[in-house]
Amino acid sequence: MIFVDGLPFSTDSSASPQGRDTLVALLEHPALVEASNSFKAIPERRFSVREESVLDTSPRSKWVYLFQREYATVDPALVDFVGTDEATTCIGVAIWNPRNGMTSVAHMDSPNIVDTGLSQMLSLLVDHNTDMELDVHLVGGFEDVSTNVCSRILYFVIDFPEHGNYNTGSESQENLDGYSFPLGAKIVETLWKRPEKFHIRTLCILGHNTRRDPEGNAYPNFNGFMIGTSTGSITPAIFDKTSRCPDEVVRRIRVSVSYEDSSWKGKLLETYDTQTDHFKIAPCCWTLQQLHFALSLQHYSDSEILLMCSTSPSAENPDFVENMRRQWDYLIKHPDWRETFPMKQPRIFERTAEGGWRKPQGADTSISRSRIQSLSAFSSSSTHFRKPHSSSSSFNPISSLRFNFTSSNSSSSSSSSPFTEKASIERYQRDHWLYKNQHSESDQPVPTTCCSLPPDFDSLRENDIALQLPELRNLLQVLREKRQTEGDRGGCGPGNVFLVGTGPGDPELLTMKAYRVIQTADLLLYDRLVSNDVLDLVGSGARLLYVGKTAGYHSRTQEEIHELLLSFAEAGANVVRLKGGDPLVFGRGGEEMDFLRQQGIEVNVIPGITAASGIAANLGIPLTHRGVANSVRFLTGHSRKGGTDPLFVAENAADPDSTLVVYMGLSTLPSLAQKLVHHGLSPNTPAVAVERGTTPQQRMVFAELKDVADEIVSAELVSPTLIIIGKVVALSPLWPYASKEVSCLVEAL
Ligand SMILES: O=C(O)CCc1c2[nH]c(c1CC(=O)O)Cc1[nH]c(c(CC(=O)O)c1CCC(=O)O)Cc1[nH]c(c(CC(=O)O)c1CCC(=O)O)Cc1[nH]c(c(CCC(=O)O)c1CC(=O)O)C2
Ligand SMILES: C[S@@+](CC[C@H](N)C(=O)[O-])C[C@H]1O[C@@H](n2cnc3c(N)ncnc32)[C@H](O)[C@@H]1O
């Protein structure tokens, strides 16, 4: 329900008017015209933490600043005012509860987020009392129709050839209206339909917030405001870098990437915790596509960036381009979002007495120095061992000990990965051929931020594939044409496929055969667990295509990998399929071999050192040892969908004279360990979990079987991790405690 000037508002058009009619009528309402004029007469306040500290002798005010798409509901006991700016085509919405001063502000940038966004704002404001009267202010969203040239760029929709043509979509109704009008209409329509009583106090949008130069170009009068929580009054405002509350660059990036993250669909971004007055920036993920944009857009001039990335280039703040560049720099330096949001946790900041923000004490999730031992003297590819100093020579129940081969004491999830992870700078640079022609049809990159409405991809996987498809088609075409010409001259058969194991990471563990094939290939399809160091050996003319998998995210399905291998082999290419470890150990190598042979393609398999062998050698663990372990068993922690539960094998595997090596076992280890103990394996059986084995980033945790799952969690080991369970583990010179039982066995031999 909408109220203006103390009275319920209605339009003449119908009992239930459309948002557009309501908005037009509201804009003409004399009380709101007057309110807009009064708002415009207030001098704009510039916010800066520096200014505050120098000029203000009164107690320091506390505020919350919001970026595009963010919202916050604040308690007047904790916060004096809330504000936003940079709302050119966006609209800043403030709702104030006069009974208790609770205030919510959002920076809305699309009609799609209005419905849920208003519910988010009201959830902490109205206390289930829908009869409540609330003050509403809308500021921003100038008459932007004159910016249609830029709108055309923004509405550029990538439609890959199989779905139709590249389409600029510029003639849509939204474009004719600009951005602000449909957004404003949606906001008033939603307010109208909701049961609460909304008193519109300020409506400084569209014509009321627009001035024109003699040529008729439109500019906003204001793009920011702040609302005081004690009075509910608003003031035009502009905020500088020092005053935008914590984590500016990450929050700006989050806005851009949220468009492609389905978890944010229809919602405002969670930013602030009302109860604790902490900034609590909910996590987001960025993809190779964002990195790609950053790397390509950074080379454009400032004026090109302004044109391409803004919906209203003539209306932006002077630091618009600088802000874009700061985001791109950050993405290029931190291509993996997990460094910014370890364990996908929010970033939390608390206020300091000086008006700044800091991470709460004790919030650092990295492991404390005392609990991780750094063994920098120990080279990852070496087989030279040093016995760690033992605190006691007598037999002790084993607790646990972790080793970190890197010099840093932080968890490896925040250090760069040695593998070809889904979105790494190494991967991007390597696969650049795939992405460089992405915009060849228009030569215009897709803008990603600031009031923009970028293309809406259904999932990261589709996103990745969409980026790859055009170039893959081109390459296939080139190969086919080449083959046709050669065929005309006497003909040649299909190409070969080499199924190559690259070992667990250390490039020195490659076989000579693998090394030779890698250096001479035309096209290489590589998995995630192929290390960057191995890929550095690939010949400069070769094309690389990532087809990796991680738990829950398969960049290509197995069937797609089969089809790719087949298509390129049929086109005459020598295709190399690179896999981590050995291709025939939990590598689906057998399936790929089978499929290709059935299609008449020859497959050469080049074995690799499997993770168990590479890692055991590195740690000095004999996988079998006379009198200690007379067999070794490789287990998977996961079975394929619909397969038998791998943990059923625990009954047979609980053999004290056998060594168990668990692949893909991180998430299911707690259950496996319990089952092994249940079936008779001693809870004190030595075990080790090794993350990123044989690479410079290797870390490991030694513990007894009963403790190893907990130790893995507190060390924050990430995939890939290999787990070795069995008495042989205690034979490692790195085993932290002398175990009499094992020593006796070895001596007796
Ligand atoms: O059917 C499925 O793939 C889903 C079940 C599933 C598996 N692992 C999983 C999951 C959960 C998930 O991916 O979300 C879970 C999974 N998939 C993967 C890993 C490895 C990791 O992230 O460290 C993990 C384990 C994560 C953890 O340690 O908890 C990735 C994976 N699975 C697999 C491969 C090898 C490949 O596909 O070429 C690869 C690596 C590919 C690469 O380097 O990019 C294959 C795989 N997935 C699986 C198995 C066991 C099959 C069996 O014996 O029944 C096997 C081995 C095989 O088929 O020969 C099953
Ligand atoms: C799908 S399997 C692939 C195994 C591979 N074909 C081999 O022979 O080593 C993936 C699992 O291998 C193990 N793994 C592979 N490389 C590893 C490494 N460098 N460090 C630790 N574990 C590794 C992990 O258990 C990971 O979850």
Side-chain angles (χ1 to χ4, degrees):
M1 243 182 287
I2 289 180
F3 285 70
V4 179
D5 208 15
L7 297 170
F9 179 76
S10 65
T11 63
D12 301 334
S13 56
S14 75
S16 174
Q18 294 298 306
R20 287 165 178 269
D21 306 329
T22 315
L23 179 57
V24 171
L26 282 169
L27 285 165
E28 288 168 358
H29 195 292
L32 289 178
V33 173
E34 197 187 318
S36 257
N37 288 337
S38 310
F39 178 71
K40 282 188 268 187
I42 306 171
E44 187 171 59
R45 184 163 169 195
R46 293 182 164 267
F47 274 96
S48 163
V49 169
R50 279 191 303 269
E51 253 172 45
E52 271 267 315
S53 50
V54 177
L55 302 180
D56 253 358
T57 47
S58 54
R60 203 178 300 282
S61 48
K62 292 181 186 166
W63 70 83
V64 166
Y65 173 88
L66 300 158
F67 282 108
Q68 184 176 338
R69 273 212 160 199
E70 291 182 343
Y71 86 102
T73 301
V74 306
D75 182 337
L78 300 171
V79 175
D80 303 310
F81 55 86
V82 198
T84 185
D85 62 4
E86 301 181 343
T88 51
T89 52
C90 301
I91 295 180
V93 181
I95 308 180
W96 185 69
N97 183 341
R99 281 205 215 163
N100 54 17
M102 290 295 280
T103 310
S104 194
V105 170
H107 184 133
M108 295 197 175
D109 62 352
S110 156
N112 302 335
I113 53 163
V114 172
D115 240 342
T116 311
L118 277 172
S119 301
Q120 288 172 282
M121 292 175 77
L122 291 165
S123 65
L124 291 175
L125 210 66
V126 294
D127 232 359
H128 307 295
N129 179 357
T130 52
D131 204 30
M132 186 159 288
E133 303 194 357
L134 301 161
D135 283 3
V136 175
H137 305 267
L138 304 179
V139 176
F142 76 121
E143 252 174 11
D144 59 316
V145 188
S146 62
T147 62
N148 257 355
V149 177
C150 310
S151 320
R152 287 206 171 93
I153 301 172
L154 274 169
Y155 273 93
F156 178 89
V157 177
I158 301 175
D159 209 346
F160 285 91
E162 73 269 34
H163 304 304
N165 295 321
Y166 284 88
N167 167 16
T168 55
S170 56
E171 299 314 317
S172 64
Q173 180 60 45
E174 279 103 332
N175 269 14
L176 299 174
D177 287 345
Y179 292 100
S180 310
F181 188 76
L183 174 59
K186 179 69 187 179
I187 294 171
V188 295
E189 182 181 307
T190 314
L191 293 175
W192 176 274
K193 286 182 178 160
R194 288 195 63 109
E196 298 87 358
K197 293 181 179 154
F198 296 105
H199 283 258
I200 308 243
R201 302 287 182 197
T202 314
L203 188 66
C204 194
I205 62 171
L206 294 159
H208 296 317
N209 188 25
T210 306
R211 63 190 162 83
R212 291 185 187 272
D213 67 13
E215 283 85 49
N217 296 314
Y219 301 94
N221 292 311
F222 302 103
N223 60 24
F225 69 91
M226 64 100 172
I227 176 166
T229 56
S230 58
T231 59
S233 61
I234 70 162
T235 309
I238 178 161
F239 295 77
D240 76 3
K241 253 185 271 181
T242 63
S243 61
R244 287 181 176 141
C245 299
D247 234 6
E248 177 180 352
V249 176
V250 170
R251 285 161 69 199
R252 285 186 186 278
I253 291 173
R254 190 174 66 148
V255 174
S256 305
V257 303
S258 67
Y259 295 108
E260 291 164 36
D261 181 344
S262 53
S263 58
W264 288 114
K265 283 232 166 80
K267 283 197 281 183
L268 292 164
L269 300 170
E270 305 283 350
T271 301
Y272 172 80
D273 184 357
T274 312
Q275 314 296 334
T276 57
D277 188 34
H278 284 16
F279 258 74
K280 198 167 173 188
I281 300 157
C284 69
C285 319
W286 43 91
T287 64
L288 189 61
Q289 191 191 30
Q290 270 98 27
L291 179 61
H292 164 65
F293 287 144
L295 284 159
S296 40
L297 290 172
Q298 63 171 345
H299 299 299
Y300 283 84
S301 69
D302 285 3
S303 50
E304 286 168 326
I305 290 172
L306 189 60
L307 266 174
M308 290 186 298
C309 300
S310 166
T311 48
S312 46
S314 53
E316 294 300 352
N317 285 344
D319 56 359
F320 177 84
V321 175
E322 187 200 328
N323 289 334
M324 297 302 299
R325 291 197 189 281
R326 286 196 294 141
Q327 290 175 62
W328 299 334
D329 286 349
Y330 187 94
L331 282 175
I332 292 164
K333 282 196 194 111
H334 307 273
D336 187 345
W337 60 267
R338 285 167 294 192
E339 284 176 21
T340 303
F341 292 102
M343 315 288 285
K344 222 170 175 184
Q345 290 304 302
R347 287 163 72 85
I348 299 176
F349 297 85
E350 64 185 11
R351 279 182 206 277
T352 64
E354 298 74 38
W357 295 87
R358 66 162 174 234
K359 294 213 161 161
Q361 321 239 292
D364 190 357
T365 50
S366 66
I367 301 148
S368 71
R369 194 171 288 276
S370 63
R371 299 197 71 193
I372 281 222
Q373 295 210 4
S374 172
L375 287 182
S376 49
F378 192 86
S379 144
S380 66
S381 57
S382 146
T383 46
H384 167 77
F385 298 112
R386 208 157 34 89
K387 189 98 182 155
H389 183 71
S390 173
S391 56
S392 156
S393 54
S394 63
F395 179 78
N396 280 328
I398 304 144
S399 60
S400 71
L401 193 62
R402 301 181 201 144
F403 298 94
N404 184 3
F405 280 21
T406 63
S407 52
S408 124
N409 69 334
S410 64
S411 75
S412 70
S413 55
S414 60
S415 68
S416 73
S417 165
F419 297 105
T420 55
E421 300 279 353
K422 200 171 70 59
S424 69
I425 190 94
E426 287 88 354
R427 218 199 101 195
Y428 171 77
Q429 282 162 348
R430 211 167 276 138
D431 301 2
H432 196 243
W433 68 276
L434 277 172
Y435 304 105
K436 67 182 187 304
N437 286 334
Q438 189 202 349
H439 303 295
S440 54
E441 300 250 345
S442 70
D443 224 18
Q444 291 288 0
V446 179
T448 54
T449 192
C450 194
C451 302
S452 67
L453 306 170
D456 182 19
F457 289 101
D458 272 337
S459 68
L460 301 180
R461 206 181 89 79
E462 277 170 26
N463 210 350
D464 274 358
I465 292 176
L467 278 166
Q468 293 175 340
L469 271 182
E471 273 305 301
L472 284 179
R473 281 214 181 84
N474 290 348
L475 180 62
L476 209 53
Q477 189 59 27
V478 170
L479 288 167
R480 282 188 181 135
E481 282 164 13
K482 191 172 149 220
R483 188 157 169 267
Q484 181 92 41
T485 326
E486 284 166 1
D488 294 345
R489 282 198 234 110
C492 60
N496 287 326
V497 174
F498 291 88
L499 199 51
V500 179
T502 61
D506 179 354
E508 305 229 338
L509 295 178
L510 279 175
T511 61
M512 303 270 285
K513 262 193 182 177
Y515 181 59
R516 184 171 47 76
V517 165
I518 286 175
Q519 287 202 311
T520 53
D522 296 328
L523 176 72
L524 299 98
L525 273 66
Y526 65 100
D527 276 356
R528 180 183 145 251
L529 297 182
V530 174
S531 72
N532 288 314
D533 285 348
V534 166
L535 284 189
D536 285 346
L537 304 172
V538 169
S540 57
R543 309 220 148 172
L544 280 145
L545 178 62
Y546 177 76
V547 293
K549 296 169 189 168
T550 185
Y553 180 80
H554 294 190
S555 72
R556 291 278 179 179
T557 63
Q558 195 57 38
E559 292 67 33
E560 284 165 344
I561 296 174
H562 288 171
E563 287 305 325
L564 280 166
L565 290 169
L566 180 63
S567 309
F568 283 101
E570 279 181 340
N574 278 333
V575 188
V576 170
R577 173 77 174 99
L578 293 181
K579 286 179 166 283
D582 184 273
L584 304 181
V585 176
F586 298 127
R588 304 191 74 166
E591 280 169 57
E592 291 178 18
M593 214 160 51
D594 236 35
F595 171 81
L596 291 165
R597 287 187 176 151
Q598 276 176 26
Q599 309 293 322
I601 307 288
E602 195 182 323
V603 183
N604 304 285
V605 183
I606 300 180
I609 291 183
T610 189
S613 302
I615 288 169
N618 197 242
L619 268 54
I621 297 173
L623 289 174
T624 62
H625 197 90
R626 268 157 60 98
V628 182
N630 51 26
S631 69
V632 54
R633 185 164 186 160
F634 294 170
L635 275 180
T636 163
H638 284 270
S639 60
R640 70 195 176 286
K641 281 179 193 110
T644 324
D645 180 350
L647 307 184
F648 275 130
V649 300
E651 188 172 348
N652 304 327
D655 172 3
D657 298 325
S658 184
T659 305
L660 281 179
V661 185
V662 189
Y663 288 72
M664 300 185 279
L666 262 187
S667 44
T668 51
L669 183 69
S671 151
L672 176 68
Q674 254 183 19
K675 285 183 183 167
L676 288 171
V677 171
H678 176 75
H679 289 294
L681 202 61
S682 161
N684 303 115
T685 305
V688 63
V690 184
E691 173 198 87
R692 298 169 174 179
T694 80
T695 75
Q697 287 91 335
Q698 171 168 307
R699 297 193 312 146
M700 55 193 170
V701 168
F702 281 101
E704 288 180 337
L705 179 59
K706 65 177 167 32
D707 301 319
V708 70
D710 287 345
E711 290 299 328
I712 287 173
V713 171
S714 45
E716 295 179 19
L717 294 194
V718 295
S719 126
T721 290
L722 188 85
I723 300 141
I724 308 180
I725 302 166
K727 287 181 293 190
V728 289
V729 173
L731 298 176
S732 165
L734 299 171
W735 182 247
Y737 297 96
S739 159
K740 265 190 190 157
E741 196 188 333
V742 172
S743 311
C744 290
L745 272 169
V746 176
E747 276 159 22
L749 293 174

